Amino acid sequence: MSSVEYIHYRGIDMPTEAHTMESLEYAQNFSVEDTDVFSVTYPKSGTAWMQEILPLLLNDGDLTPIQTIPNWDRAPWLEEKRLAVVVDQLKSPRALVTHFPYRLMPHSFHASKAKVIYVMRNPMDVMVSSYYFHQMAAFLQDPGTFEEFMDKFLEGRVLFGKWTDHVKGWRHTDLGDRIMYITYEEMVQDLPAALRRMSDFLGRKLSDEVIQKIAEHCSFKTMKTNNMSNFSLVPKIYMDSDKSPFLRKGVAGDWKNHFSSEQQAKFTSVIRKDLEKESFSLPWSLD
Ligand code: PPS
């Protein structure tokens, strides 16, 4: 049995290391500005990657933020206690990230013109990434065996709830053209093209040279060596990169190295059932 306790807030679990009742209430009452840009992700879908990308897209490729400010301060999590500490240092346009389901977004967000980039990742790779993260992060519960963790993941007994609920909630918004959807896989396949799509959505006019420069600085390889982005500033007692680095593999399809054919069949049938009444289809095959 794991001794790590989570905070339970309006139907979802979060680690107490970064979240308190105060931080969650602070998030609910947060004053969203029209120029704010949120990257929304289910955990392990590319959050840290977007914390690298957004400040660069919003500052014409100026590297200062990613070279001098840790990712959690340059694009803070809406729900984490750190936001209240750094909020006054954020420069407009502000980049924020959140794992919140749509229903927990602050009231002021709905009334604002703030934009959202929703990054979705193949749930099988999300689960694999999360499994390793639970092994290296001391503030997370022991994941158990791979099979046990898969059951928890499919039932939604994991941080921020069920993957399919998160996706469904963010697929059915009334945000209109304030939200764009992109996949982790699209970013892995052609980062410059993904960056161009994001910068167009954000109304930034960036040259091909700047896009190329951003892509180089946001590559897995470069981020792995950036101490402001690879979580090496976090003491080892909280995150032990010897057990598994935060920037672990950075690829699409690692699930194939972990799932048996029975596990894959179970996983895909649960996900398909959860989504059977949905009008949208997943951008990848789960086979
Ligand atoms: S968290 O804990 O929710 O904030 O995690 P998150 O940042 O969402 O997801 C971590 C995974 O994203 C991968 N990652 C990248 N992949 C490719 N390129 C770049 N630049 C990149 N940056 C982060 C990271 O390696 C984790 O995935 P896995 O599969 O574990 O490697």
Side-chain angles (χ1 to χ4, degrees), residues 1-285:
M1 267 305 276
S2 172
S3 57
V4 175
E5 297 285 335
Y6 289 156
I7 189 164
H8 191 72
Y9 181 75
R10 296 177 63 187
I12 53 172
D13 284 343
M14 286 162 265
T16 47
E17 196 57 42
H19 308 80
T20 57
M21 271 308 163
E22 291 71 37
S23 80
L24 296 164
E25 289 302 325
Y26 183 87
Q28 291 303 300
N29 298 316
F30 187 65
S31 197
V32 174
E33 293 173 3
D34 286 343
T35 48
D36 288 347
V37 179
F38 287 85
S39 170
V40 180
T41 46
Y42 184 83
K44 312 320 286 183
S45 302
T47 324
W49 203 355
M50 291 302 290
Q51 288 171 318
E52 207 81 353
I53 290 172
L54 281 182
L56 293 176
L57 288 179
L58 296 173
N59 290 289
D60 298 323
D62 177 2
L63 300 178
T64 316
I66 68 160
Q67 290 178 338
T68 60
I69 313 173
N71 59 331
W72 52 82
D73 281 357
R74 81 173 92 96
W77 272 267
L78 172 65
E79 58 273 26
E80 293 196 358
K81 46 190 189 186
R82 191 75 193 156
L83 177 60
V85 179
V86 294
V87 69
D88 291 336
Q89 290 152 39
L90 299 175
K91 295 203 184 75
S92 181
R94 305 184 297 190
L96 295 126
V97 297
T98 184
H99 295 315
F100 264 167
Y102 183 58
R103 64 184 172 83
L104 291 190
M105 289 303 279
H107 303 295
S108 64
F109 165 77
H110 295 284
S112 77
K113 295 189 176 120
K115 290 189 172 178
V116 173
I117 299 181
Y118 186 78
V119 184
M120 187 162 59
R121 185 180 189 187
N122 184 323
M124 297 196 270
D125 282 338
V126 168
M127 195 220 112
V128 170
S129 178
S130 189
Y131 180 66
Y132 282 98
F133 189 51
H134 279 70
Q135 292 175 0
M136 68 86 86
F139 49 88
L140 300 184
Q141 291 176 356
D142 183 326
T145 64
F146 189 75
E147 186 82 29
E148 285 164 351
F149 189 65
M150 180 179 294
D151 288 337
K152 284 188 207 161
F153 184 89
L154 291 172
E155 288 162 23
R157 290 185 289 118
V158 283
L159 302 175
F160 290 91
K162 224 189 227 195
W163 181 84
T164 44
D165 287 343
H166 201 273
V167 171
K168 281 192 248 185
W170 279 101
R171 276 283 171 174
H172 298 290
T173 70
D174 47 13
L175 297 174
D177 58 9
R178 284 174 54 200
I179 185 164
M180 86 165 251
Y181 299 92
I182 196 158
T183 61
Y184 174 94
E185 291 72 18
E186 206 177 325
M187 290 161 64
V188 168
Q189 198 182 358
D190 187 345
L191 187 55
L195 294 172
R196 174 62 70 197
R197 208 152 83 68
M198 291 190 230
S199 75
D200 287 350
F201 168 71
L202 297 175
R204 318 304 292 192
K205 293 194 179 8
L206 303 180
S207 66
D208 287 345
E209 288 73 35
V210 170
I211 290 284
Q212 203 50 49
K213 174 179 161 189
I214 297 177
E216 278 157 27
H217 284 276
C218 295
S219 73
F220 183 78
K221 215 168 130 212
T222 312
M223 276 181 65
K224 224 173 148 61
T225 61
N226 182 352
N227 289 339
M228 293 293 144
S229 311
N230 61 14
F231 290 87
S232 59
L233 296 176
V234 177
K236 211 173 166 153
I237 51 160
Y238 296 113
M239 283 187 173
D240 188 346
S241 60
D242 289 342
K243 289 187 181 157
S244 178
F246 183 93
L247 286 130
R248 190 183 59 91
K249 277 200 178 170
V251 297
D254 190 36
W255 65 268
K256 290 176 190 156
N257 299 316
H258 293 82
F259 281 53
S260 66
S261 51
E262 292 76 26
Q263 288 170 333
Q264 186 205 349
K266 177 165 90 177
F267 195 99
T268 51
S269 90
V270 173
I271 298 285
R272 284 205 182 104
K273 184 143 191 8
D274 277 359
L275 297 178
E276 70 188 351
K277 296 202 176 70
E278 292 301 313
S279 51
F280 67 88
S281 54
L282 294 177
W284 348 256
S285 150

